Amino acid sequence: MLGDIGGTNARFAVLRSPGEPLQLLPRTLTAQTPEPVEAIRIALKGYDGPAPRSAMIAVATRVDKPVIRLTNAEWTIDAKAIGTALGLDRVALVNDYTPVAASVTVLDLERGDLAPLGDVMPVKPGARVVLGPGTGLGAGAIVPVEDRLAILATEAGHMEFGPTVDEEAALFRHLERVGGRVSAEVVLSGPGLFRLSKAFAAHRAVECPFTLPNDVLTAAREGDGLASATLDVFARWLGRFAGDLALTFEASGGVFIAGGIAPRMVDILQSGGFREAFDRKAPHDAWARSVPVYVIVNPEPALEGLAALVTKPERFIFQSQGWVAG
């Protein structure tokens, strides 16, 4: 059994054997289910094959022990509790961007899994970065090490984020702080999109008409000026942050943007502001222009990546926590 548990959604699938297609199970909202075991049981009602013998579950938080709490939801993920409740032999927990990083080894541009931002460039060797604005902001990297691929899960979304020009500084005065900080996640996420719209409204001394992040996306499609300005800044800031991560990891192999927001605004990300900000990395702007960038439009990259990890475990090096039946 494979699981991808984020702050909003819990997605599950069953891989019956290596090489077989994933059998996707019904999605669960974390806010509507009190704990993960119940969510898994609900999902498995949509499965009629042999009972799973093991599980690998990706979770949206730092994975440093076998019992962890989600960053942006109320669930506690306990590997032993899941294993014993479901009669499994073992349960492995990984950071949610570990399988997203693994997915870039199996997703395909020609198959329609990826949408390019900028020119389509040939695949090059080197490190690759993945990041994704959604309920939070996840990020990771996949780096070649001899004949294997090392996956580095990070908490880069919690790095400090700041203005670079006077116009942005004026906007930052109106931005909500979270924990007393403006991190990248505070602005580059679903809640961040809403915070940006409120900051724009305050800066313009008008009422913010939106109550949810989705309202901003919908209003921009309908020509609303406040929403359009918000998405323009969001795209440019996402490009800046993605370019910074590319520099951090020397990601000559490419940058891949996942999450629930980017696939819904591919045209806006392709319109120029994102790529301009990504490339503005003097003295390394020429190098930045050579880095391919894609939006992952495949709807389930984490589950695809989990399948890759369990199918060819010898190919990857990654951190996990877990439980094995005694």
Side-chain angles (χ1 to χ4, degrees):
M1 186 189 71
L2 307 175
D4 173 27
I5 298 177
T8 301
N9 294 294
R11 300 171 172 89
F12 300 99
V14 173
L15 182 67
R16 295 182 61 166
S17 63
E20 287 199 21
L22 285 173
Q23 183 170 340
L24 299 178
L25 304 179
R27 182 183 306 185
T28 302
L29 295 176
T30 54
Q32 294 181 356
T33 312
E35 48 87 25
V37 170
E38 182 177 337
I40 295 169
R41 284 178 168 149
I42 291 171
L44 286 172
K45 290 179 180 178
Y47 171 68
D48 58 3
R53 299 191 305 271
S54 62
M56 179 176 283
I57 301 173
V59 291
T61 189
R62 181 188 301 277
V63 178
D64 54 6
K65 49 187 177 294
V67 182
I68 49 180
R69 187 173 179 83
L70 291 182
T71 301
N72 293 307
E74 297 300 318
W75 281 8
T76 295
I77 315 295
D78 184 331
K80 180 179 179 180
I82 292 171
T84 54
L86 300 176
L88 302 175
D89 295 334
R90 63 187 183 278
V91 177
L93 305 179
V94 296
N95 177 270
D96 60 332
Y97 266 73
T98 294
V100 177
S103 78
V104 304
T105 67
V106 295
L107 298 179
D108 185 76
L109 178 64
E110 298 299 324
R111 198 171 58 216
D113 294 326
L114 305 168
L117 301 183
D119 296 335
V120 177
M121 303 179 191
V123 176
K124 298 183 292 185
R128 286 169 276 185
V129 161
V130 292
L131 69 152
T135 306
L137 177 62
I142 183 165
V143 182
V145 180
E146 296 182 348
D147 61 344
R148 303 177 76 186
L149 295 169
I151 298 176
L152 308 175
T154 81
E155 293 295 333
H158 297 287
M159 295 191 302
E160 210 81 23
F161 194 85
T164 60
V165 296
D166 290 345
E167 180 186 2
E168 293 178 356
L171 191 62
F172 260 73
R173 287 198 292 269
H174 302 286
L175 271 172
E176 173 190 353
R177 268 60 176 169
V178 177
R181 305 173 64 229
V182 177
S183 66
E185 181 175 281
V186 167
V187 290
L188 298 176
S189 60
L193 193 61
F194 185 45
R195 292 186 188 103
L196 269 178
S197 69
K198 290 194 295 182
F200 257 112
H203 179 57
R204 296 179 176 185
V206 299
E207 290 293 323
C208 182
F210 315 123
T211 57
L212 295 169
N214 282 342
D215 296 344
V216 184
L217 290 163
T218 300
R221 296 297 182 202
E222 296 171 350
D224 181 90
L226 177 65
S228 296
T230 299
L231 287 187
D232 177 66
V233 167
F234 185 92
R236 286 192 282 113
W237 287 2
L238 183 61
R240 182 195 307 169
F241 183 69
D244 286 344
L245 290 186
L247 283 174
T248 300
F249 291 100
E250 281 284 322
S252 57
V255 172
F256 299 79
I257 302 176
I261 297 174
R264 300 173 58 192
M265 53 181 293
V266 170
D267 58 331
I268 296 169
L269 295 174
Q270 290 174 330
S271 65
F274 172 96
R275 189 75 217 203
E276 181 185 1
F278 183 97
D279 293 343
R280 192 182 298 145
K281 298 299 174 191
H284 301 295
D285 47 358
W287 176 86
R289 287 194 295 270
S290 74
V291 177
V293 184
Y294 299 94
V295 175
I296 297 176
V297 293
N298 180 293
E300 301 293 355
L303 294 177
E304 296 284 356
L306 287 167
L309 291 173
V310 300
T311 297
K312 294 184 177 179
E314 72 284 353
R315 188 182 184 193
F316 301 96
I317 306 167
F318 60 97
Q319 289 187 322
S320 67
Q321 294 285 333
W323 166 87
V324 178

